[in-house]
Amino acid sequence: MAKEGAENAQETQNMIKNDRKEHRSRMSAGNTTEMRAVVLTGFGGLNKLRVTKRPMPEPQEGEVKIHVKACGLNFLDLMVRQGNIDNPPKTPLVPGFECSGIVEEMGNNTKGFEIGDRVMAFVNYNAWAEVVCTSIEFVYKIPDDMTFPEAAAFSLNFVAAYIMLFELASLREGMSVLVHSVGGAVGQAVAQLCSTIPSVMVFGTASPSKNEAIKDSVTHLFDRSADYVQEVKKISPEGVDIVLDCLCGENTGKGLGLLKPLGTYILYGSSNMVTGETKSFFSLAKSWWQMDKVNPIKLYEENKVIAGFSLLNLLFKQGRGSLVKTVVQKLFSLYNQKKIKPRVDSLWALEEVKEAMQRIHERGNIGKLILDMEKSPTPLMANDSTETSEAGDDDDDDDDEEEHEDNNDNKERIPFIQ
């Protein structure tokens, strides 16, 4: 056992040395002014995504420049591509909100970091690129034995899950939690964090195709298309203490109905509003009308709490970076104790971004999809995503793509962070 531990430690040190050696080689090769990046040329279907050359960003005061190794994909990225969010930014833009890599350069007033540090970071867009610059407030040194794909799979999902469970809902020993789309990245993070507290009962919903792979991560697993309300009540007649809802629509009323007195319902996504490849006003309207309108008097009478959560707004609009930094350190401690570990579904080359996003759209992933900057693309996949011209100049950007809503209603909606 001791020999195996020593070998693992040596392997980790070799990995870190190789990362830094590669970084020095990159720096000594000369400064480049361009980088590869995924560009969204307009809102719509997959044909709006291009991999092209973009100007290399430079760090401003209080920022670090990161040579990106891996990026995370989320359901929110699909929503952004469709323009299916409030106040969408102007296109063309580089999508993505989380990445991991190596510190390459630092602006002024960036104490606490050194060139060569292995880090993960939140970015307010622009993460799907070979190089990003972001404020040190949103950058965190990662544990020595955490891989770059794990780090890219860690930030949004585990931080969101932790804040919802422990900061908003005050998860304690003996409580019960219902989490939808438990096969997704947030769902798996929730399940792992619940397992760190004694006697927590976790109810999860997922599509039947995922049941075998995730059945051991929850106490009770239900088919999301079945009547999970009655199934939960058979086991826990009083209901549950916490409901984490990434679906919205009719599930909002069901979730509130399942809450015990003093229970907390948290809405952190609305993936039921996404059906076809492009934005559908019909799906938006359907989900809106299916959703029970909240009556404050009824909440008062039933002693129930309803909340919403958006990690990115918490970071970039509401200035709670210090809270998130504290949460990250607590999560790293759990990781180092081997109590939690990000579940990576699959790795994709940057040029395979369309195929990766399609897998999210089809709700086929278990855990997190990662764009791996060092992965070579499969030629057949890369052909339609790679573009050498400047983003926004392609004739086929104006081609309309058909919406495909007929076969998607029975597919699992995975979580996203809005």
Side-chain angles (χ1 to χ4, degrees):
M1 183 70 70
K3 181 179 179 181
E4 182 180 351
E7 290 176 349
N8 289 338
Q10 184 61 45
E11 183 179 351
T12 298
Q13 292 303 315
N14 290 339
M15 177 182 68
I16 296 173
K17 288 179 181 178
N18 289 336
D19 288 335
R20 288 174 174 164
K21 181 178 179 181
E22 178 189 339
H23 172 70
R24 288 193 295 269
S25 298
R26 171 181 161 86
M27 296 294 289
S28 63
N31 294 326
T32 58
T33 58
E34 290 187 323
M35 63 177 182
R36 288 184 307 147
V38 175
V39 175
L40 180 66
T41 60
F43 299 118
L46 292 169
N47 68 332
K48 302 299 184 181
L49 293 169
R50 292 287 182 272
V51 176
T52 187
K53 294 290 186 179
R54 298 278 285 185
M56 185 83 72
E58 295 300 329
Q60 304 301 307
E61 183 171 354
E63 291 185 341
V64 297
K65 180 178 180 180
I66 301 170
H67 173 43
V68 177
K69 294 285 192 174
C71 316
L73 278 78
N74 300 282
F75 202 86
L76 174 59
D77 299 311
L78 189 154
M79 305 274 291
V80 169
R81 193 200 74 213
Q82 293 184 348
N84 203 2
I85 58 174
D86 289 336
N87 301 314
K90 293 181 179 180
T91 57
L93 62 88
V94 176
F97 300 98
E98 59 185 335
C99 65
S100 62
I102 299 174
V103 173
E104 187 168 273
E105 189 178 342
M106 297 176 291
N108 295 328
N109 298 321
T110 50
K111 294 180 180 179
F113 292 94
E114 296 179 357
I115 293 174
D117 282 345
R118 302 170 72 252
V119 297
M120 71 180 193
F122 293 109
V123 188
N124 194 12
Y125 293 97
N126 298 310
W128 293 358
E130 289 183 308
V131 174
V132 302
C133 293
T134 190
S135 169
I136 59 169
E137 184 179 10
F138 312 127
V139 182
Y140 319 90
K141 295 179 184 178
I142 62 176
D144 287 344
D145 59 346
M146 180 178 283
T147 68
F148 289 116
E150 283 182 336
F154 194 88
S155 46
L156 276 174
N157 304 122
F158 273 91
V159 171
Y162 188 98
I163 292 178
M164 288 191 292
L165 287 172
F166 297 104
E167 298 290 335
L168 291 178
S170 300
L171 178 66
R172 299 182 301 278
E173 181 176 351
M175 295 180 75
S176 54
V177 180
L178 170 65
V179 55
H180 290 299
S181 299
V182 71
V186 173
Q188 286 292 286
V190 167
Q192 289 187 34
L193 288 171
C194 286
S195 72
T196 67
I197 305 298
S199 304
V200 171
M201 184 180 296
V202 181
F203 298 93
T205 69
S207 59
S209 62
K210 300 183 180 182
N211 286 1
E212 187 62 29
I214 64 175
K215 63 181 181 180
D216 294 335
S217 64
V218 296
T219 316
H220 301 283
L221 183 61
F222 307 119
D223 181 348
R224 69 171 303 275
S225 61
D227 187 358
Y228 62 84
V229 173
Q230 294 306 314
E231 294 299 318
V232 171
K233 286 185 175 180
K234 287 179 184 178
I235 300 167
S236 180
E238 293 185 354
V240 298
D241 296 292
I242 302 169
V243 174
L244 302 181
D245 182 9
C246 60
L247 304 177
C248 198
E250 62 180 344
N251 293 280
T252 300
K254 292 179 180 179
L256 285 171
L258 277 173
L259 277 185
K260 294 178 181 179
L262 303 182
T264 303
Y265 163 94
I266 303 174
L267 179 69
Y268 69 101
S270 53
S271 58
N272 272 341
M273 295 185 181
V274 175
T275 52
E277 186 177 317
T278 55
K279 183 176 180 179
S280 168
F281 289 101
F282 172 77
S283 297
L284 294 172
K286 180 181 177 182
S287 291
W288 173 254
W289 287 111
Q290 284 179 332
M291 185 168 53
D292 287 353
K293 306 306 179 284
V294 177
N295 184 337
I297 299 299
K298 190 175 181 180
L299 292 175
Y300 152 74
E301 292 174 344
E302 296 182 353
N303 284 305
K304 294 181 178 180
V305 177
I306 185 169
F309 181 68
S310 165
L311 176 56
L312 295 179
N313 284 345
L314 193 72
L315 278 169
F316 298 122
K317 293 183 179 180
Q318 296 161 352
R320 299 303 299 273
S322 59
L323 168 64
V324 172
K325 190 177 289 290
T326 299
V327 168
V328 168
Q329 296 309 313
K330 291 178 179 178
L331 287 167
F332 282 165
S333 177
L334 291 173
Y335 177 87
N336 288 330
Q337 297 172 51
K338 303 189 183 305
K339 292 184 177 181
I340 60 174
K341 183 179 179 66
R343 186 163 185 170
V344 175
D345 174 82
S346 49
L347 302 178
W348 304 77
L350 198 65
E351 290 80 7
E352 297 169 343
V353 62
K354 293 182 181 180
E355 289 74 22
M357 188 166 279
Q358 184 63 26
R359 181 167 173 79
I360 290 182
H361 182 81
E362 294 173 351
R363 284 79 178 178
N365 59 300
I366 298 175
K368 189 84 164 190
L369 278 77
I370 299 294
L371 292 178
D372 185 343
M373 292 296 177
E374 297 180 347
K375 186 178 183 298
S376 298
T378 303
L380 289 178
M381 288 187 177
N383 285 342
D384 191 44
S385 294
T386 304
E387 180 62 47
T388 56
S389 63
E390 188 66 30
D393 295 337
D394 306 292
D395 294 335
D396 64 346
D397 281 344
D398 295 327
D399 292 343
D400 293 329
E401 295 202 10
E402 298 180 358
E403 295 181 5
H404 303 285
E405 298 184 324
D406 47 350
N407 293 322
N408 285 318
D409 287 343
N410 62 343
K411 293 178 179 177
E412 183 185 9
R413 319 303 190 186
I414 69 167
F416 74 93
I417 313 301
Q418 184 173 337

